[in-house]
Amino acid sequence: HFKDIEKIVRSRKFRPIFVTGLSGNGKTLMVEQVCAKLNRECYRVNITRQTDEDDLLGGFRLIGGNTVWQDGPVVSAMKNGGVLLLDEIDLGDAKLMCLQPVLEGKGVFLKKIGQWVRPAAGFTVFATANTKGKGSDDGRFVGTGIMNEAMLDRFPYTLEQPYPTKGTERKILTKAGCTDDDFSDHLTKWSEIIRKSFYEGAVDEIISTRRLVDIVNAFDIFGSREKALSMCLARFDEDTKEAFMNLYSKVDADMQMGVDEESEATSVDDANNECPF
């Protein structure tokens, strides 16, 4: 949805957008990169269960021994005509209802200082979430809750963000610094198989684009495909990790399971340089 979001931001019209999709597929980065491309200020707020009006709109802070008012990121974005990014909005609770007038484009009244703030031209809001605001029944996204329907209704458009296509994902891995084209090709083919199995209910875990980037970053450090995979798959239970590793070995016939490429090379060097005494 990069091009659609780019058109919205470029239009400088107020159009709150709800972007939903599984973890690690680029929802947040997409909005940030659109803003970077268009040279627009992006005010990112990571929402948690504790996020409240003071965090969002602003409050009094102790600065230099004096208590002074400080605008929150929402008010700053409104005043400067920036893009407000509410990241993981489904982790919040009823305290987010203070954003109702903001999501209507009408501005907001700061009751603590008696000031009415109207949004400048160009201000708009994006929210990202792993759910559609209805909670997570399968337990994959612990902490997400059922969002207030009145708040959800103030996002006129919802974009369902899938994982990138195989071709796009290869480009992402190249941009992330992977110079081994074969490795990128194997990784994207491997993740594609796992995702298909996940959607069909055959496996309970999934490989995100973020995790593929983590793997190529580990490979850049250690120079071992197996070690990079093993380190980045360690978050899964042993059965899942073993199954994913075995699947990769079938996709990449050049990788020998159980042989650490870096350790093997070190052993050869040690053998060549072994002291006879």
Side-chain angles (χ1 to χ4, degrees):
H1 299 298
F2 187 94
K3 291 182 179 179
D4 292 333
I5 289 181
E6 182 181 354
K7 286 182 179 180
I8 292 168
V9 175
R10 192 185 295 276
S11 74
R12 302 186 71 86
K13 294 181 179 180
F14 181 75
R15 295 291 187 274
I17 307 292
F18 195 97
V19 186
T20 180
L22 293 176
S23 178
N25 69 12
K27 300 182 295 296
T28 301
L29 185 62
M30 176 173 59
V31 177
E32 291 176 333
Q33 288 301 303
V34 166
C35 291
K37 179 179 180 180
L38 300 180
N39 197 28
R40 295 290 307 281
E41 286 188 282
C42 181
Y43 297 79
R44 176 179 172 180
V45 185
N46 288 83
I47 304 298
T48 70
R49 187 65 61 182
Q50 287 72 43
T51 303
D52 59 17
E53 183 174 336
D54 193 74
D55 299 318
L56 297 167
L57 302 183
F60 289 102
R61 309 283 186 263
L62 187 62
I63 300 177
N66 298 313
T67 302
V68 297
W69 172 266
Q70 289 284 296
D71 288 339
V74 174
V75 172
S76 295
M78 292 174 67
K79 287 182 176 180
N80 297 319
V83 175
L84 175 65
L85 175 56
L86 302 171
D87 204 24
E88 309 289 3
I89 193 172
D90 53 352
L91 289 175
D93 63 12
K95 294 188 287 291
L96 298 184
M97 296 301 286
C98 66
L99 296 178
Q100 292 288 72
V102 175
L103 294 172
E104 294 172 357
K106 297 177 180 178
V108 65
F109 181 68
L110 304 176
K111 55 182 179 292
K112 293 182 180 179
I113 58 175
Q115 182 183 115
W116 181 264
V117 179
R118 295 185 182 279
F123 172 71
T124 195
V125 182
F126 288 91
T128 66
N130 294 131
T131 72
K132 293 184 179 181
K134 303 298 183 181
S136 175
D137 294 332
D138 58 9
R140 292 183 62 81
F141 302 109
V142 176
T144 57
I146 298 176
M147 294 178 61
N148 187 286
E149 186 64 28
M151 170 166 280
L152 288 172
D153 200 47
R154 282 167 171 76
F155 288 93
Y157 312 131
T158 295
L159 299 177
E160 296 185 73
Q161 175 81 350
Y163 285 105
T165 62
K166 186 177 175 182
T168 298
E169 208 155 49
R170 274 201 302 267
K171 292 179 182 178
I172 291 172
L173 297 185
T174 300
K175 288 286 187 180
C178 185
T179 57
D180 188 330
D181 292 338
D182 286 339
F183 191 32
S184 293
D185 189 56
H186 294 324
L187 285 173
T188 52
K189 185 183 298 183
W190 171 68
S191 64
E192 186 177 55
I193 295 170
I194 291 175
R195 289 169 194 167
K196 183 179 180 181
S197 299
F198 175 82
Y199 295 138
E200 292 174 350
V203 296
D204 296 327
E205 301 289 355
I206 199 166
I207 298 297
S208 67
T209 304
R210 180 190 292 127
R211 192 148 301 275
L212 291 183
V213 172
D214 292 338
I215 291 170
V216 299
N217 286 338
F219 177 69
D220 181 56
I221 296 173
F222 299 103
S224 165
R225 296 182 183 185
E226 183 180 355
K227 188 165 187 174
L229 284 159
S230 180
M231 291 179 69
C232 294
L233 293 179
R235 67 168 292 271
F236 301 119
D237 62 67
E238 283 302 316
D239 289 340
T240 301
K241 176 184 174 182
E242 184 179 358
F244 284 2
M245 288 291 286
N246 287 335
L247 175 61
Y248 182 81
S249 69
K250 291 179 173 62
V251 173
D252 184 356
D254 294 332
M255 190 183 83
Q256 296 181 344
M257 292 295 294
V259 178
D260 187 300
E261 299 153 32
E262 183 182 32
S263 298
E264 183 181 39
T266 302
S267 298
V268 171
D269 290 339
D270 289 345
N272 291 336
N273 298 315
E274 185 176 357
C275 177
F277 306 105

